[in-house]
């Protein structure tokens, strides 16, 4: 799909372009998807002087993986995305148990407000210790 | 970088400035969205900028006494100007100790030693028991024999709240820059006594004294210095062999001091001698302690804010007494028992007295300084810091007693209080004004402030005014015919001045002014006996000279008498000057 260049963001993986050697910016839907994923993993104090801006996904990972926990996580994700990501309109957050209770399978579906299309991101969050 | 201004050290402002800067480029446009990678980098950069800015500001703040926040930094500034920060200070009191015994038990030498460390016990303001210690030993020579009984009476003793503590050090030259730190927060620095002996087993001590300046020291001066270490503990150090004796390897140093409870020692009034640990006095049991002055002057260690005030002041006065400000500064910091103080040059005195410095001190819990307190100030403060040729004259505070009549018109419909309750309220408010605003030097009785204090936005008062009569008591020496000045320090209304009764050749007379500037002795029938002086109504100075046969009524058998002059002030406000302190002594409330 052709990018419009409405949104452009720095790729924090900092991998240079194999031909030019420059860092390639992430654009449009890809940039927004990065941002959404980033916000889900946001810890308290990632925003200096404002520890209230956080998603507690890491805390929930080490709790019981049941319906109540997943519902709480969904509330947190909903709150942080509606608070800090004005480029999207949230449509659905689907969280499933994965890896026999050691992980969450998270799918976030949203509409890109300025680009007038729906997108979704999916990722699995697993505790490793 | 024009659009990257330096305006603030706040994180939010710095980040906003970065965003403003990024608006000028198009490669990365997501800086406004907190989840973006660019925003994350902005957070890191802004936080780093804020952190460095804050660090530099704190560093500079701590570099100056004016702005330093930490006690450690203030202590360092104090050291630079030679100021010894004050830790806890013991309350001090003055007592006289009497020891009653009989001829068979008294020592053959006919004197008794009160050793250093002898103690008295007393209760403070909160009735907590406190121990008071004799810091410098004294010998009692005054002995009175009555039949087979003997009473030994000490000179006035200065005693200090707290117990005597000792820290010992051994000089070890193998330690580089050995420091003798007394790790005790309760130490009263003024009480430190240091003595040195050759080694641990030696019995001969050499007393070392605290050096306040270096100019008059040589290699034989037995002195020590005090400063604070980085944690605020006092450390002592000695001369370097050029300025003061340097103790040698193996020498044994004993430091003794009073461990104080600070301000909780204040207010003790009744002292009882404790013979335990008092050397030979422990053999006696009948002690009597007379209190000459109550315990006062105990205080907590200086706070950072007090240090901020004291350090530049210490530097300004340069460790010497020259200006009025020097006297104020040194006496307030060195002498414990000052409630209020005034200092003026002889050229400003009521009778000009060039080359002298007049000091008037009102101690806490008393009206006048004791003789011992004066002597302490003279020897330990004025002699130490004073310049050659300056003569200090102590003048007792002189009180202008105000007899106040408050005329209040009250509308009792506007209050739930009864008339006697309103009168009591007025008395309370006058008393509150007297305590808070008056009874100290340089405090004037402002009529407006007094009436405002009485009224306090109370709608019950429909009308309010007052009248005042000033009274001054003068200690008149009988048989003296020299002229005396009684200074009211306020303009007086002519024909309002009169005195207490004076007896001449059996008849009772009163001194009054005639309204034209002359003071005359009047008989009871209103006839004039004689002219005895004059009045300067503008300055409020009464100058009188009584005949040698005159006696102050009520003091006929004494060598002196208290003569009271009263007068009505011309203005509603009552001012003070020199050693005058104005205070309200009587209140009469008239309601209508």
């Amino acid at each position: 799909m052709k990018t419009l260049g409405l949104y452009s963001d720095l790729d924090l993986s900092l991998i240079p372009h194999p031909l030019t050697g420059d860092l390639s910016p992430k654009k449009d839907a890809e940039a927004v998807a990065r941002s959404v994923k980033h916000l889900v993993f946001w810890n308290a104090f990632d925003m200096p002087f404002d520890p209230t801006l956080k998603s507690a996904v890491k805390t929930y990972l080490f709790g019981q993986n049941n319906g109540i926990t997943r519902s709480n996580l969904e509330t947190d994700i909903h709150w942080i995305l509606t608070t800090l990501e004005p480029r999207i309109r949230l449509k659905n957050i689907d969280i499933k148990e994965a890896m026999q209770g050691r992980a969450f399978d998270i799918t976030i579906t949203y509409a890109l407000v300025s680009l007038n299309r729906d997108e979704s991101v999916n990722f699995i969050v697993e505790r490793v210790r | 970088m024009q659009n990257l201004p330096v305006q603030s050290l706040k994180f939010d402002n710095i980040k906003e400035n970065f965003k403003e800067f990024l608006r000028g480029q198009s490669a990365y446009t997501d800086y406004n969205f907190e989840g973006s990678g660019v925003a994350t980098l902005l957070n890191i950069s802004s936080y780093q900028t804020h952190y460095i800015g804050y660090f530099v500001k704190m560093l500079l703040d701590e570099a100056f006494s004016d702005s330093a926040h930490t006690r450690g930094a203030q202590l360092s500034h104090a050291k630079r100007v030679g100021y010894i920060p004050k830790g806890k200070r013991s309350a001090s009191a003055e007592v006289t100790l009497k020891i009653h015994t009989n001829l068979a038990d008294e020592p053959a030498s006919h004197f008794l030693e009160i050793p250093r460390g002898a103690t008295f016990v007393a209760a403070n303001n909160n009735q907590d028991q406190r121990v008071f210690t004799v810091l410098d030993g004294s010998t009692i020579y005054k002995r009175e024999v009555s039949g087979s009984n003997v009473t030994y009476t000490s000179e006035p003793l200065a005693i200090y709240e707290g117990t005597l503590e000792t820290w010992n050090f051994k000089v070890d030259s193998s330690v580089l820059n050995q420091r003798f730190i007394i790790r005790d927060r309760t130490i009263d620095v003024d009480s430190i006594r240091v003595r040195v002996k050759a080694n641990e087993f030696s019995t001969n001590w050499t007393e070392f004294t605290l050096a306040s300046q270096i100019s008059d020291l040589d290699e034989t001066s037995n002195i020590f210095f005090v400063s604070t270490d980085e944690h605020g503990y006092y450390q002592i150090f000695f001369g370097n062999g050029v300025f003061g004796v340097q103790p040698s390897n193996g020498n044994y140093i004993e430091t003794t001091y009073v461990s104080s409870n600070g301000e909780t020692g204040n207010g003790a009034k009744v002292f009882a001698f404790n013979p335990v640990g008092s050397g030979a006095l422990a053999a006696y049991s009948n002690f009597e302690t007379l209190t000459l002055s109550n315990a006062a002057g105990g205080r907590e260690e200086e706070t950072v804010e007090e240090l901020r005030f004291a350090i530049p002041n210490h530097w300004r006065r340069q460790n010497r007494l020259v200006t009025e400000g020097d006297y104020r500064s040194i006496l307030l910091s060195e002498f414990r028992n000052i409630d209020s103080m005034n200092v003026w040059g002889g050229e400003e005195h009521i009778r000009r007295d060039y080359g002298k410095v007049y000091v008037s001190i009102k101690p806490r819990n008393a009206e006048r300084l004791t003789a011992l307190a004066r002597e302490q100030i003279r020897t330990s403060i004025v002699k130490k810091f004073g310049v050659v040729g300056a003569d200090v004259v102590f003048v007792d505070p002189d009180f202008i007693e105000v007899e106040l009549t408050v005329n209040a018109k009250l509308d009792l419909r506007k209050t739930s209080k009864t008339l006697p309750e309103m009168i009591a309220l007025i008395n309370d408010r006058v008393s509150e004004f007297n305590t808070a605003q008056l009874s100290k030097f340089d405090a004037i009785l402002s009529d407006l402030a007094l009436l405002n204090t009485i009224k306090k936005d109370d709608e019950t008062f429909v009308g309010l005014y007052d009248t005042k009569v000033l009274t001054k008591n003068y200690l008149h020496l009988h048989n003296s015919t020299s002229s005396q000045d009684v200074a009211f320090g306020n303009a007086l209304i002519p024909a309002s001045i009169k005195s207490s009764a004076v007896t001449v050749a059996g008849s009772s007379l009163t001194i009054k002014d005639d309204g034209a500037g002359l003071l005359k002795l009047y008989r009871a029938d209103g006839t004039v006996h004689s002219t005895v002086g004059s009045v300067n109504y503008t300055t409020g100075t009464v100058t009188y000279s009584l005949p040698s046969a005159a006696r102050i009524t009520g003091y006929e058998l004494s060598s002196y008498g208290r003569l009271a002059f009263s007068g009505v002030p011309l203005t509603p406000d009552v001012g003070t000057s020199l050693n005058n302190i104005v205070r309200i002594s009587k209140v009469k409330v008239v309601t209508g």
Side-chain angles (χ1 to χ4, degrees):
Chain A
M1 188 179 289
K2 189 177 180 305
T3 54
L4 300 171
L6 190 60
Y7 305 124
S8 59
D9 189 15
L10 181 71
D11 184 1
L12 284 183
S13 58
L14 300 178
I15 300 166
H17 190 278
L19 297 177
T20 62
D22 290 340
L23 291 177
S24 307
K26 295 280 179 192
K27 296 203 169 181
D28 295 338
E30 203 182 2
V32 175
R34 271 299 172 100
S35 172
V36 167
K37 204 171 164 184
H38 187 201
L39 288 174
V40 170
F41 288 107
W42 210 344
N43 297 316
F45 293 102
D46 275 3
M47 169 65 99
F49 306 109
D50 194 350
T52 59
L53 296 177
K54 60 169 185 174
S55 147
V57 64
K58 283 187 182 170
T59 312
Y60 293 126
L61 261 181
F62 291 90
Q64 288 187 31
N65 194 335
N66 56 25
I68 296 171
T69 307
R70 290 194 290 275
S71 171
N72 287 341
L73 176 59
E74 186 185 328
T75 307
D76 275 16
I77 292 174
H78 186 274
W79 179 82
I80 197 161
L81 289 179
T82 48
T83 307
L84 292 180
E85 190 47 273
R87 292 175 290 185
I88 63 169
R89 192 171 63 250
L90 262 182
K91 289 197 160 179
N92 186 43
I93 300 172
D94 184 26
I95 304 176
K96 293 191 181 78
E97 179 188 343
M99 297 182 182
Q100 290 84 44
R102 287 186 290 113
F104 294 120
D105 182 350
I106 302 172
T107 306
I108 300 168
T109 309
Y110 53 87
L112 275 166
V113 176
S114 303
L115 301 177
N116 199 21
R117 67 168 192 254
D118 288 353
E119 292 279 340
S120 72
V121 288
N122 172 259
F123 45 89
I124 291 176
V125 188
E126 179 196 4
R127 66 168 184 250
V128 291
R129 59 187 165 83
Chain B
M1 290 284 174
Q2 271 185 335
N3 53 355
L4 195 54
V6 179
Q7 293 167 322
S8 162
L9 287 180
K10 283 186 179 170
F11 172 82
D12 291 337
N13 296 352
I14 294 167
K15 190 172 171 186
E16 198 52 46
N17 286 340
F18 274 133
K19 284 182 182 175
E20 189 65 33
F21 171 70
L22 287 175
R23 283 193 185 102
Q25 53 83 49
S26 57
Y28 300 104
T29 56
D30 285 4
Y31 47 81
N32 269 330
F33 307 111
E34 294 301 339
S36 67
V38 176
T40 303
L41 282 187
L42 284 190
N43 281 345
I44 294 168
S45 305
S46 304
Y47 183 69
Q48 188 188 25
T49 309
H50 166 81
Y51 187 95
I52 292 172
Y54 179 79
F55 184 75
V56 171
K57 182 188 180 303
M58 290 306 291
L59 197 68
L60 276 174
D61 276 0
E62 299 305 308
F64 300 97
S65 175
D66 280 352
S67 51
H69 298 82
T70 62
R71 190 171 180 80
Q74 291 289 14
L75 294 177
S76 176
H77 292 303
K79 198 182 283 186
R80 198 157 56 87
V81 298
Y83 177 69
I84 303 173
K86 291 182 176 56
K88 285 196 174 201
R89 272 190 144 189
S90 301
S92 71
E94 285 173 32
V95 294
T96 300
L97 178 65
K98 286 188 173 186
I99 299 149
H100 303 285
T101 183
N102 52 53
L103 288 170
D105 293 337
E106 70 166 336
S109 57
H110 289 181
F111 64 80
L112 288 169
E113 293 279 355
I114 305 174
R116 171 193 289 185
T119 54
F120 292 78
V121 287
N124 68 359
N125 280 334
N126 301 326
Q127 299 306 311
D128 297 327
Q129 183 166 301
R130 291 284 178 265
V131 174
F132 285 74
T133 303
V134 175
L135 195 53
D136 297 304
S138 173
T139 306
I140 308 178
Y141 294 107
K142 191 175 172 187
R143 171 176 173 270
E144 289 168 65
V145 180
S146 170
S148 63
N149 297 321
V150 188
T151 300
Y152 284 86
T153 307
S154 75
E155 292 294 310
L157 285 171
I159 54 176
Y160 297 87
E161 186 277 319
T163 50
L164 215 56
E165 301 284 341
T166 303
W167 278 60
N168 296 313
F169 302 97
K170 193 173 180 181
V171 179
D172 184 351
S173 58
S174 67
V175 177
L176 188 66
N177 292 330
Q178 187 183 12
R179 300 201 292 177
F180 308 110
I181 301 169
I182 305 168
R183 293 182 202 281
D184 186 346
R185 287 271 182 218
T186 65
I187 184 170
D188 178 346
V189 68
D190 294 335
S191 70
I192 296 179
R193 302 287 186 268
V194 173
R195 52 185 192 169
V196 179
K197 60 182 179 178
N199 55 55
E200 207 171 334
F201 309 105
S202 173
T203 52
N204 295 326
W205 294 97
T206 306
E207 192 90 20
F208 279 55
T209 54
L210 178 66
S212 57
Q213 44 204 351
I214 207 165
S215 55
D216 51 356
L217 303 179
D218 59 27
E219 69 279 7
T220 61
S221 306
N222 291 323
I223 48 94
F224 68 95
F225 301 88
V226 174
S227 71
T228 48
D229 75 348
E230 58 277 17
H231 303 294
Y233 290 119
Y234 287 113
Q235 60 180 1
I236 60 166
F237 57 102
F238 295 89
N240 54 5
V242 178
F243 296 109
V245 170
Q246 185 174 31
S248 45
N249 190 32
N251 278 181
Y252 204 69
I253 299 165
E254 181 196 84
T255 56
T256 314
Y257 59 89
V258 170
S259 166
S260 165
N261 288 299
E263 63 187 10
T264 65
N266 292 336
K269 296 181 182 112
V270 183
F271 300 87
F273 184 68
N274 176 18
V276 177
S278 60
L281 293 185
Y284 301 93
S285 59
N286 193 352
F287 299 98
E288 185 186 354
T289 310
L290 306 175
T291 305
L292 302 178
S293 77
N294 297 343
R299 52 166 292 170
E300 299 304 304
E301 70 176 2
E302 277 179 312
T303 62
V304 170
E305 287 308 313
E306 284 168 331
L307 282 170
R308 197 191 310 289
F309 176 75
I311 292 168
N313 255 352
H314 177 82
W315 176 247
R316 204 170 292 132
R317 79 176 188 226
Q318 293 287 313
N319 249 356
R320 48 74 179 123
L321 291 165
V322 177
T323 66
E324 286 174 23
D326 296 340
Y327 277 88
R328 279 176 199 277
S329 170
I330 286 192
L331 286 172
L332 280 172
S333 70
E334 300 289 327
F335 188 63
R336 285 151 207 261
N337 190 10
I338 293 178
D339 183 25
S340 182
M341 179 182 69
N342 204 12
V343 181
W344 64 97
E347 74 282 0
E348 291 175 19
H349 197 58
I350 191 161
R351 290 194 177 184
R352 291 188 180 181
D353 195 3
Y354 294 102
K356 288 187 178 166
V357 178
Y358 282 78
V359 177
S360 191
I361 293 174
K362 183 188 174 298
R364 293 186 179 94
N365 308 321
E367 291 193 351
R368 291 171 177 81
L369 283 180
T370 60
L372 178 63
R374 289 178 184 211
E375 192 54 32
Q376 275 182 338
I377 293 176
R378 210 180 276 284
T379 54
S380 65
I381 301 175
V382 177
K383 203 170 173 187
K384 190 162 141 192
F385 299 105
V387 295
V388 177
D391 193 5
V392 177
V393 180
F394 287 101
V395 186
D396 281 333
D398 209 353
F399 293 92
I400 302 174
E401 314 278 1
V402 180
E403 290 175 25
L404 185 73
T405 306
V406 179
N407 294 274
K409 192 170 183 182
L410 303 171
D411 184 353
L412 292 173
R413 291 172 300 176
K414 293 182 178 171
T415 179
S416 57
K417 292 189 173 69
T418 61
L419 185 61
E421 284 173 341
M422 282 305 295
I423 292 173
L425 181 76
I426 293 171
N427 275 308
D428 287 348
R429 287 179 178 172
V430 171
S431 171
E432 175 195 321
F433 181 82
N434 197 28
T435 312
Q437 306 286 335
L438 304 179
S439 305
K440 52 179 87 84
F441 292 106
D442 287 339
I444 69 160
L445 196 171
S446 158
D447 197 53
L448 183 63
L450 172 65
L451 294 179
N452 279 338
T453 304
I454 296 172
K455 189 169 182 300
K456 271 190 186 161
D457 298 329
D458 197 333
E459 294 294 324
T460 317
F461 290 90
V462 180
L464 185 64
Y465 69 97
D466 62 51
T467 54
K468 304 179 187 78
V469 176
L470 309 184
T471 304
K472 285 208 79 167
N473 291 307
Y474 190 81
L475 216 56
H476 176 79
L477 208 58
H478 289 153
N479 296 327
S480 163
T481 56
S482 61
S483 90
Q484 309 292 336
D485 290 327
V486 180
F488 281 86
N490 289 274
L492 299 172
I493 293 176
S496 71
I497 297 158
K498 62 179 180 183
S499 76
S500 54
V502 177
T503 308
V504 180
S507 57
S508 181
L509 309 171
T510 311
I511 305 172
K512 290 180 185 173
D513 73 309
D514 63 354
L518 289 179
L519 275 184
K520 293 176 179 173
L521 265 177
Y522 287 88
R523 296 189 185 90
D525 60 6
T527 57
V528 176
H529 176 277
S530 57
T531 300
V532 289
S534 61
V535 186
N536 183 333
Y537 295 114
T538 312
T539 61
T541 306
V542 173
T543 307
Y544 78 94
S545 165
L546 286 176
S548 63
R551 294 287 179 272
I552 311 301
T553 306
Y555 296 88
E556 287 84 351
L557 300 177
S558 172
S559 58
Y560 58 86
R562 198 169 286 277
L563 182 61
F565 280 97
S566 63
V568 178
L570 186 65
T571 59
D573 293 345
V574 182
T576 61
S577 63
L578 306 181
N579 61 329
N580 283 311
I581 295 177
V582 62
R583 66 182 178 190
I584 298 169
S585 56
K586 281 184 193 165
V587 187
K588 185 180 165 193
V589 181
V590 179
T591 56

